[in-house]
Coordinates of all heavy atoms in Angstrom, one line a residue:
R37 N -16.9 -8.0 -8.0 CA -17.5 -7.2 -7.0 C -18.1 -5.9 -7.6 O -17.7 -5.6 -8.7 CB -16.5 -6.8 -5.9 CG -16.0 -8.0 -5.1 CD -17.1 -8.7 -4.3 NE -17.8 -7.8 -3.4 CZ -18.9 -8.1 -2.8 NH1 -19.5 -9.3 -3.1 NH2 -19.5 -7.3 -2.0
P38 N -19.0 -5.2 -6.9 CA -19.5 -3.9 -7.5 C -18.3 -2.9 -7.7 O -17.4 -2.8 -6.9 CB -20.4 -3.4 -6.4 CG -20.9 -4.6 -5.7 CD -19.7 -5.5 -5.7
L39 N -18.4 -2.2 -8.8 CA -17.4 -1.3 -9.2 C -17.0 -0.2 -8.1 O -15.9 0.2 -8.0 CB -17.8 -0.5 -10.5 CG -16.8 0.4 -11.2 CD1 -15.5 -0.4 -11.6 CD2 -17.4 1.0 -12.4
V40 N -18.0 0.1 -7.3 CA -17.8 1.1 -6.3 C -16.8 0.7 -5.3 O -16.0 1.5 -4.7 CB -19.1 1.5 -5.6 CG1 -19.7 0.3 -4.8 CG2 -19.0 2.7 -4.7
E41 N -16.7 -0.6 -5.0 CA -15.7 -1.2 -4.1 C -14.3 -0.9 -4.6 O -13.4 -0.6 -3.8 CB -16.0 -2.6 -3.8 CG -17.2 -2.9 -3.0 CD -17.3 -4.4 -2.7 OE1 -16.4 -5.2 -2.8 OE2 -18.5 -4.8 -2.2
N42 N -14.1 -1.1 -5.9 CA -12.8 -0.9 -6.5 C -12.4 0.6 -6.3 O -11.2 0.9 -5.9 CB -12.8 -1.3 -7.9 CG -11.5 -0.9 -8.7 OD1 -10.5 -1.6 -8.5 ND2 -11.5 0.2 -9.4
A43 N -13.3 1.5 -6.5 CA -13.0 2.9 -6.4 C -12.6 3.3 -5.0 O -11.7 4.1 -4.8 CB -14.2 3.7 -6.9
V44 N -13.3 2.7 -4.0 CA -13.0 3.0 -2.6 C -11.6 2.5 -2.3 O -10.8 3.2 -1.6 CB -14.1 2.4 -1.7 CG1 -13.6 2.5 -0.2 CG2 -15.4 3.2 -1.8
R45 N -11.3 1.3 -2.7 CA -10.0 0.7 -2.4 C -8.9 1.5 -3.0 O -7.9 1.7 -2.3 CB -10.0 -0.7 -3.0 CG -8.6 -1.4 -2.8 CD -8.6 -2.8 -3.6 NE -8.9 -2.6 -5.0 CZ -8.0 -2.2 -5.9 NH1 -6.8 -1.8 -5.5 NH2 -8.4 -2.1 -7.1
V46 N -9.1 2.0 -4.2 CA -8.0 2.8 -4.8 C -7.8 4.1 -4.0 O -6.6 4.5 -3.8 CB -8.5 3.2 -6.3 CG1 -7.6 4.3 -6.8 CG2 -8.4 1.9 -7.2
L47 N -8.8 4.7 -3.5 CA -8.6 5.9 -2.7 C -7.9 5.6 -1.5 O -7.0 6.4 -1.0 CB -10.0 6.6 -2.5 CG -10.6 7.3 -3.6 CD1 -12.1 7.7 -3.3 CD2 -9.8 8.5 -4.1
R48 N -8.2 4.6 -0.8 CA -7.6 4.2 0.4 C -6.1 3.8 0.2 O -5.2 4.3 0.9 CB -8.3 3.0 1.1 CG -9.7 3.5 1.7 CD -10.4 2.3 2.3 NE -11.6 2.7 3.0 CZ -12.6 1.9 3.3 NH1 -12.7 0.7 2.8 NH2 -13.6 2.4 4.0
E49 N -5.9 3.0 -0.8 CA -4.5 2.6 -1.0 C -3.6 3.7 -1.5 O -2.4 3.7 -1.4 CB -4.5 1.4 -2.1 CG -5.1 0.1 -1.5 CD -5.0 -1.0 -2.5 OE1 -4.5 -0.8 -3.6 OE2 -5.4 -2.1 -2.1
G50 N -4.3 4.7 -2.1 CA -3.5 5.9 -2.6 C -3.2 6.8 -1.5 O -2.4 7.8 -1.7
G51 N -3.7 6.7 -0.3 CA -3.4 7.5 0.9 C -4.4 8.4 1.4 O -4.1 9.2 2.3
C52 N -5.7 8.3 0.9 CA -6.7 9.2 1.5 C -7.1 8.7 2.9 O -6.9 7.6 3.3 CB -8.0 9.1 0.6 SG -7.8 9.9 -1.0
G53 N -7.6 9.7 3.6 CA -8.1 9.4 5.0 C -9.5 8.8 4.8 O -9.7 7.9 3.9
T54 N -10.5 9.2 5.5 CA -11.9 8.7 5.4 C -12.4 9.0 4.0 O -12.1 10.0 3.4 CB -12.8 9.4 6.4 OG1 -12.3 9.1 7.7 CG2 -14.2 8.9 6.3
V55 N -13.1 8.0 3.4 CA -13.6 8.1 2.1 C -15.1 8.4 2.2 O -15.9 7.7 2.8 CB -13.4 6.8 1.3 CG1 -14.1 6.9 -0.1 CG2 -11.9 6.5 1.1
Y56 N -15.5 9.5 1.6 CA -16.9 9.9 1.4 C -17.4 9.4 0.1 O -16.8 9.6 -0.9 CB -17.1 11.4 1.5 CG -16.9 12.0 2.9 CD1 -15.6 11.9 3.5 CD2 -17.9 12.6 3.5 CE1 -15.5 12.5 4.8 CE2 -17.8 13.2 4.8 CZ -16.5 13.1 5.4 OH -16.4 13.6 6.7
V57 N -18.6 8.7 0.1 CA -19.1 8.2 -1.1 C -20.5 8.8 -1.4 O -21.4 8.6 -0.5 CB -19.2 6.6 -1.1 CG1 -19.8 6.1 -2.4 CG2 -17.9 6.0 -0.8
V58 N -20.7 9.5 -2.5 CA -22.0 10.0 -2.8 C -22.8 9.1 -3.7 O -22.3 8.7 -4.8 CB -21.8 11.4 -3.6 CG1 -23.2 12.0 -3.8 CG2 -21.0 12.4 -2.7
L59 N -23.9 8.6 -3.1 CA -24.8 7.7 -3.8 C -26.0 8.4 -4.4 O -26.5 9.4 -3.8 CB -25.2 6.6 -2.9 CG -24.1 5.7 -2.2 CD1 -24.6 4.7 -1.2 CD2 -23.3 5.0 -3.3
G60 N -26.6 7.8 -5.4 CA -27.8 8.4 -6.0 C -28.7 7.3 -6.5 O -29.6 6.8 -5.9
A61 N -28.5 6.9 -7.8 CA -29.3 5.8 -8.4 C -29.1 4.5 -7.7 O -28.0 4.1 -7.3 CB -28.8 5.6 -9.9
A62 N -30.3 3.9 -7.3 CA -30.3 2.7 -6.6 C -29.5 2.7 -5.4 O -28.8 1.7 -5.0 CB -29.8 1.5 -7.5

Side-chain angles (χ1 to χ4, degrees):
R37 298 297 303 166
L39 187 57
V40 66
E41 290 184 14
N42 173 76
V44 168
R45 176 187 56 78
V46 165
L47 288 173
R48 287 175 171 159
E49 292 184 357
C52 289
T54 300
V55 176
Y56 287 64
V57 183
V58 182
L59 302 176

